[in-house]
Amino acid sequence: MSGEPKILRDVLLASGRRVKLYRRIVEADGKTFEKDLVVFGSSVVIVPVLGDGRIVFVRQWRASIAGWVLELPAGRVEPREDLLEAASRELVEETGFRAGSLSVLGSFYVAPGYSDEVISVVRADGLVEGQPRPEEGEVLRTVFMRPEEYLGLLGKETLDLKSIAGVLLYMSTG
């Protein structure tokens, strides 16, 4: 390969409320090719840890799969919003809990083959219970369980990769 691939241009194909779809035109090794790209930006997944070691999860109905997913609270980091502010906001919206402290455990690309989304895993401690304030269109229920119980549901219940990764990262950093 002679040099780095070069992005020639992005062509907007569609724009939704939270995502944009582009066709990215790239040149590499004297050849031009196209890749579809979903632009989302940054997001957070929160690992809310209770004093007894259980974690606060949500069972959320997801329109994309027309079904329920047992997952950690999560959401988008809005433009000009601080990562920890977003984590705090999403935690309150989805669970009602407020955190005494927040710390970033790590970050990763969700699906770099087609998306620019970077998700950060944030641990929340010193939780104080309150009333959830879900966004319009969010249908969810709060669930409490130990991390091992959650991982034991693999293959038995619909889980999602960001939550599995978040739980494993939390367990590895203890």
Side-chain angles (χ1 to χ4, degrees):
M1 190 158 121
S2 59
E4 291 291 313
K6 180 180 173 186
I7 298 170
L8 301 177
R9 68 185 172 281
D10 289 333
V11 179
L12 180 64
L13 301 176
S15 183
R17 195 168 63 87
R18 294 190 179 246
V19 300
K20 292 183 177 173
L21 176 63
Y22 288 90
R23 171 142 313 121
R24 177 162 279 177
I25 314 300
V26 179
E27 182 180 63
D29 294 331
K31 297 178 182 153
T32 302
F33 57 93
E34 299 177 350
K35 294 285 186 178
D36 290 339
L37 167 66
V38 175
V39 173
F40 183 85
S42 298
S43 59
V44 293
V45 59
I46 304 101
V47 184
V49 183
L50 295 166
D52 65 4
R54 292 179 301 156
I55 293 175
V56 182
F57 292 90
V58 292
R59 188 177 312 281
Q60 187 163 358
W61 191 85
R62 294 292 192 174
S64 59
I65 63 167
W68 294 91
V69 178
L70 183 59
E71 60 187 273
L72 290 167
R76 183 181 176 145
V77 178
E78 299 298 337
R80 295 174 297 285
E81 185 178 34
D82 175 78
L83 179 72
L84 295 180
E85 287 174 14
S88 180
R89 175 182 51 75
E90 288 292 342
L91 181 62
V92 171
E93 283 177 8
E94 294 192 2
T95 70
F97 282 92
R98 294 192 183 283
S101 67
L102 297 167
S103 56
V104 177
L105 299 179
S107 299
F108 50 88
Y109 283 99
V110 175
Y114 64 85
S115 175
D116 72 340
E117 182 180 359
V118 173
I119 194 162
S120 296
V121 180
V122 176
R123 178 178 173 157
D125 290 290
L127 301 179
V128 177
E129 194 167 2
Q131 283 297 318
R133 295 191 307 250
E135 289 182 33
E136 185 177 332
E138 283 186 323
V139 181
L140 40 84
R141 310 288 181 265
T142 307
V143 177
F144 307 93
M145 65 177 58
R146 297 199 171 284
E148 302 81 17
E149 291 176 83
Y150 180 77
L151 295 176
L153 295 173
L154 280 167
K156 300 173 189 161
E157 187 162 342
T158 306
L159 308 179
D160 73 307
L161 195 54
K162 76 178 179 326
S163 299
I164 295 167
V167 167
L168 290 171
L169 188 55
Y170 161 73
M171 291 172 75
S172 73
T173 59

